[in-house]
């Protein structure tokens, strides 16, 4: 495996850039740098420009626009920059030292706009360098060069007086001052190389600063290539498993791994089986080099200082060893600064599985993806540095001082607060329309990752796309599933496990309904109802329970039943009998799976017409005929036979399906209402029938008692 060769060519579009304001040009330059992850890792690096602005008093003054904390260069826009009064910042250069909290307070008070985001923790590095444009990045080649044991000699050879070498110092006031003093005392220098960290460049113009970054990275890469052996990671020791062997192995590994990692807080996984990942994890020296430490301080919060490298030993033992290392690392390095921060979940964020790929974890799919993005950078750095004679990293105390640094922890607080089902994985059958769709939407809104299982592949694909657009990358996935076919059910669960590592919530909702008098109920009709509603629910539940048991963190299975499971339905013997069998199946399985913490509940809705594929079929006409009314009167008929006199909508069932222990529907359609449901019911009534009726309904709803015999199996 050789180090990747690259040429860093300028992509600067001068006619475009010349027409931009100073801030827009900074946005343009930042996006160009961020577009190449070998230059700027996800969320890492920062850029700035110094320019004149007119403040709220109408006076003109010097300002520093600098990237805000927690933003990403690839996608940053104007709102991602903070503007500070440069005259205020200049005063700090005379100071000898400044504590982090005092520095942050000072920066916030120097803001030009009180509502702007918090500026980067490396702001003073930008302010103190005497140039209009400054870029600080974490390029793979520069980190590799500055992490190699002979890095400073190689750098001296490659850069001469063009570059200044700065030994490792944690970012903050001291690093900013050390760098600026060095730059001011060596005005002929063009670059600063930060040991085990990255690069600083500057220029009189935006293009000059951008080109200086490319120039420095190219020179670092050439210096590494000049000394690189052919195979820095050694020969391929474990070749990639062929896909037909890889999938069963991952099905065995992922739920156990995820379950263990999720004991403290639910996580989802991402498996990278790209050629590059498979090649990296399978090399002779990968284990040794991967355990040296993080490739960049900026990775630590998302990757931990080292990954778990899987061997043939028992998985539990390997995870025990990893967790115990992490706990010791935390306890040994805890000091007054880090003490306010509790230990992170102790499981690995990155797992290297020879033959299988690179596995990352996060509290949601986006965070698992960030860990993957950052470990891609680590893989490149380890290969490049390995080629230059070795790879060294921050010491454990240095790594800890970054990982639990209050300023680094601050970035984590910028994420939206976790929702109720954050980190959960759900699978909903018959999810492309009607009740299933409403449940899938509701689960996604609560933070779950949702497999949209349906025989309607196009409908499932459309909904998955909508949910990803609404909630973010990899939040939903369409899976083909015919619930009557054992192979199809197994394949759908396999896709779900391979996508996120397991499953926590399964809503069995796929349905079929045929209404006919007994004389007209053919054997085919009978079998079809039992195939879908009994065998289908059994197959889905059996797969769910098997995976949930392997995870070992419990789970929830919900059967969307029917009022017909409990009450006789005229002209619906096959459907009603199948629904009754389905309900009893839930009760039996709940008895079996309960000791493993797996809850199995049934929700039994009555006549949910809106958006339903079943109610758009012949079932509607047949039911109207059975009751001797016209099809148009069906909704009124069903509404009026409920105790509450409300129509039941898919969203109501979704509420019940996602909270099966707090909601119960009974055969008569009367529901025990949660406060939110009461509110939405009242709102619905007000909009349709006026306030007087709404008050009456609310009185009625308060008088509704929980069903005497709740249709809940566990
Ligand atoms: Zn940095």
């Amino acid at each position: 495996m050789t180090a990747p060769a690259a040429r860093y060519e300028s992509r600067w579009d001068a006619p475009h850039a010349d027409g931009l304001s100073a801030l827009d040009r900074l946005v343009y330059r930042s996006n160009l740098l961020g577009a190449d992850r070998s230059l700027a890792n996800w969320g890492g690096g920062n850029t700035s420009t110094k320019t004149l602005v007119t403040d709220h008093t109408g006076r003109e003054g010097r300002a520093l626009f600098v990237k805000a904390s927690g933003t990403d260069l690839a996608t940053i826009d104007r709102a991602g920059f903070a503007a500070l009064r440069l005259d205020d910042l200049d005063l700090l250069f005379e100071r000898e030292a400044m504590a982090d909290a005092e520095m942050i307070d000072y920066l916030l008070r120097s803001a030009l706009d009180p509502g702007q985001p918090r500026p980067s923790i490396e702001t003073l590095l930008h302010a103190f360098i005497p140039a209009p444009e400054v870029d600080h990045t974490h390029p793979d080649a520069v980190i590799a060069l500055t992490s190699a044991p002979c890095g400073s000699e190689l750098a001296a050879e490659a850069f001469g007086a063009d570059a200044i070498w700065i030994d490792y110092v944690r970012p903050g006031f001291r690093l900013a001052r050390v760098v600026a003093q060095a730059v001011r005392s060596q005005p002929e220098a063009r670059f600063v190389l930060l040991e085990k960290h990255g690069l600083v460049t500057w220029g009189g113009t935006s293009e000059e600063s951008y080109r200086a970054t490319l120039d420095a990275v190219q020179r670092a890469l050439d210096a590494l290539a000049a000394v690189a052996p052919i195979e820095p990671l050694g020969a391929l020791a474990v070749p990639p498993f062929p896909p037909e062997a890889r999938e069963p192995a991952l099905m065995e590994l992922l739920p156990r791994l995820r379950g263990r990692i999720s004991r403290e807080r639910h996580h989802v996984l991402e498996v990278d089986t790209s050629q590059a990942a498979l090649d990296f994890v399978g090399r002779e020296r990968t284990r040794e080099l991967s355990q040296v430490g993080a490739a960049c301080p900026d990775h630590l919060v998302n990757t931990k200082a080292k990954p778990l490298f899987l061997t043939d030993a028992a998985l539990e033992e390997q995870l025990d060893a990893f967790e115990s290392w992490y706990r010791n690392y935390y306890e040994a390095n805890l000091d007054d600064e880090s003490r306010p921060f509790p230990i992170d979940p102790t499981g690995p964020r990155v797992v290297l599985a020879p033959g299988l790929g690179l596995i990352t974890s996060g509290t949601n799919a986006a965070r698992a993806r960030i860990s993957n993005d950052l470990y891609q950078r680590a893989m490149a750095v380890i290969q490049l540095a390995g080629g230059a004679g070795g790879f060294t990293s921050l010491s454990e105390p240095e790594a800890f001082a970054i990982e639990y640094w209050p300023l680094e922890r601050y970035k984590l607080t910028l994420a939206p607060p976790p929702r109720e089902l954050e980190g959960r994985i759900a699978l909903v059958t018959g999810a492309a329309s009607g009740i299933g769709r409403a449940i899938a939407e509701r689960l996604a809104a609560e933070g779950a990752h949702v497999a949209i299982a349906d025989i309607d592949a196009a409908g499932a694909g459309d909904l998955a796309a909508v949910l990803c657009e609404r909630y973010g990358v990899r939040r939903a996935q369409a899976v083909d599933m015919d619930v009557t076919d054992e192979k199809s059910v197994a394949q759908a669960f396999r896709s779900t496990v391979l996508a996120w590592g397991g499953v926590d919530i399964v809503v069995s909702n796929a349905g079929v309904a045929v209404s006919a008098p007994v004389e007209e109920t053919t054997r085919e009709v009978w079998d079809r109802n039992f195939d879908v509603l009994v065998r289908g629910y059994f197959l889905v539940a059996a797969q769910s329970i098997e995976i949930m048991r392997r995870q070992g963190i419990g789970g929830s299975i919900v059967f969307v039943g029917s009022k017909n499971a409990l009450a006789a339905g005229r002209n619906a013997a096959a459907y009603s009998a199948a629904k009754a069998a389905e309900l009893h199946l839930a009760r039996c399985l709940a008895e079996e799976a309960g000791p493993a913490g797996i809850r199995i509940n049934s929700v039994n809705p009555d006549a949910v017409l809106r958006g339903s594929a079943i109610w758009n079929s012949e079932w509607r006409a047949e039911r109207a005929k059975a009751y001797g009314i016209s099809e148009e009167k069906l909704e009124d008929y069903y509404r009026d036979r409920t105790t509450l006199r409300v129509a039941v909508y898919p969203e109501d069932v979704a509420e019940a399906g996602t909270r099966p222990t707090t909601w119960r529907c009974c055969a008569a359609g009367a529901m025990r209402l949660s406060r939110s449901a009461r509110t939405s019911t009242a709102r619905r009534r007000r909009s349709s029938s006026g306030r007087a009726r709404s008050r009456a309904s609310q009185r009625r709803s308060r008088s509704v008692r929980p069903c005497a015999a709740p249709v809940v199996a566990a």
Side-chain angles (χ1 to χ4, degrees), residues 408-480:
E408 199 68 15
R409 294 273 127 184
Y410 169 77
K411 292 185 192 170
L412 297 177
T413 67
L414 298 174
R419 283 163 293 172
E420 191 177 347
L421 299 179
E422 186 88 357
R424 302 309 201 280
I425 300 163
L427 181 146
V428 183
T429 72
S433 61
I435 293 172
R437 184 184 172 109
I439 290 174
E441 290 189 354
R442 183 61 190 269
L443 289 166
E446 296 288 354
H449 303 71
V450 190
I452 315 290
D454 211 297
I455 45 174
D456 172 9
D462 287 349
L463 178 57
V466 166
L467 296 181
C468 287
E469 175 71 30
R470 202 181 291 164
Y471 300 111
V473 63
R474 298 204 319 119
R475 292 305 294 271
Q477 170 177 300
V479 292
D480 250 344

Side-chain angles (χ1 to χ4, degrees), residues 525-536 573-575 577-578 581:
V525 167
W526 179 267
D527 285 349
R528 182 71 187 144
N529 276 279
F530 273 74
D531 285 352
V532 174
L533 301 176
V534 187
R535 189 197 328 150
Y575 175 77

Side-chain angles (χ1 to χ4, degrees), residues 42 48 52 119 258 318 340 403 508 569 571 606 646 672:
W42 184 92
S48 69
L52 289 173
R258 173 174 181 264
Q318 297 187 66
E403 194 177 344
S508 233
N571 290 0
D606 182 23
V646 291
R672 177 184 180 185

Side-chain angles (χ1 to χ4, degrees), residues 508 536-546 557 559 585 589 600:
S508 233
Y537 280 52
F538 164 72
L539 292 175
V540 168
Q543 277 285 329
S544 311
I545 292 168
E546 188 188 329
I557 300 173
F559 282 9
L585 174 67
L589 295 178
I600 304 180

Side-chain angles (χ1 to χ4, degrees), residues 244-428:
E244 63 274 15
R246 192 191 308 147
E247 282 199 2
L250 286 170
M251 280 300 287
E252 181 59 32
L253 169 67
L254 297 177
R256 292 166 62 211
L257 179 63
R258 173 174 181 264
R260 176 64 186 258
I261 291 175
S262 298
R263 278 186 191 170
E264 295 158 72
R265 186 174 169 189
H266 278 76
H267 280 62
V268 297
L269 308 181
E270 176 163 1
V271 186
D272 181 348
T273 55
S274 64
Q275 196 51 46
L278 286 165
D279 195 285
F280 181 85
V281 297
R283 295 277 160 178
E284 267 174 342
R285 297 189 61 218
T286 302
R287 181 179 184 186
E288 167 205 340
L289 288 173
S290 70
Q291 299 305 300
V292 170
C296 174
D298 215 41
H299 299 179
L300 279 158
V301 166
N302 291 296
T303 62
K304 293 200 167 136
K306 57 186 185 185
L308 169 62
F309 184 92
L310 286 182
T311 64
D312 291 338
L315 181 66
E316 281 294 315
E317 281 170 23
Q318 297 187 66
L319 287 161
D320 285 345
F322 187 92
E323 292 190 352
S324 121
W325 160 73
Y326 191 73
R327 262 191 300 275
N328 291 339
Y329 159 81
Y330 177 82
E331 280 156 18
N333 291 294
L334 205 57
D335 58 12
D336 288 345
E337 180 187 75
S338 47
R339 212 173 299 282
F341 302 102
I343 188 169
D344 277 351
T346 50
R349 295 293 303 274
V350 179
V351 177
L352 308 181
L356 297 176
L358 164 68
I359 303 165
T360 51
S361 73
T363 48
N364 57 43
R367 297 219 69 84
R369 173 62 55 86
I370 289 168
S371 302
N372 174 285
D373 278 354
L374 295 177
Y375 205 75
Q376 299 285 340
R377 310 280 39 97
M379 283 160 50
V381 169
I382 289 170
Q383 287 171 70
L384 287 164
F391 164 62
T392 58
S393 173
L394 306 180
S395 66
E396 285 202 354
E398 285 170 340
F400 185 85
I402 292 283
E403 194 177 344
Y404 285 90
W405 186 21
L407 302 192
E408 199 68 15
R409 294 273 127 184
Y410 169 77
K411 292 185 192 170
L412 297 177
T413 67
L414 298 174
R419 283 163 293 172
E420 191 177 347
L421 299 179
E422 186 88 357
R424 302 309 201 280
I425 300 163
L427 181 146
V428 183

Side-chain angles (χ1 to χ4, degrees), residues 45-46 122 136-138 171 197 298:
N46 31 66
E122 283 163 326
H136 163 53
T137 48
H138 305 146
H197 178 171
D298 215 41

Side-chain angles (χ1 to χ4, degrees), residues 433 511-515 529 575 608-625 631 634:
S433 61
V512 64
V514 178
S515 175
N529 276 279
Y575 175 77
V608 183
L609 279 70
R610 200 178 64 187
S612 162
I614 290 173
W615 284 97
N616 286 332
S617 67
E618 287 171 14
W619 177 257
R620 180 186 284 264
E622 288 158 355
R623 295 318 291 159
K625 198 171 144 202
E631 281 185 53
L634 259 183

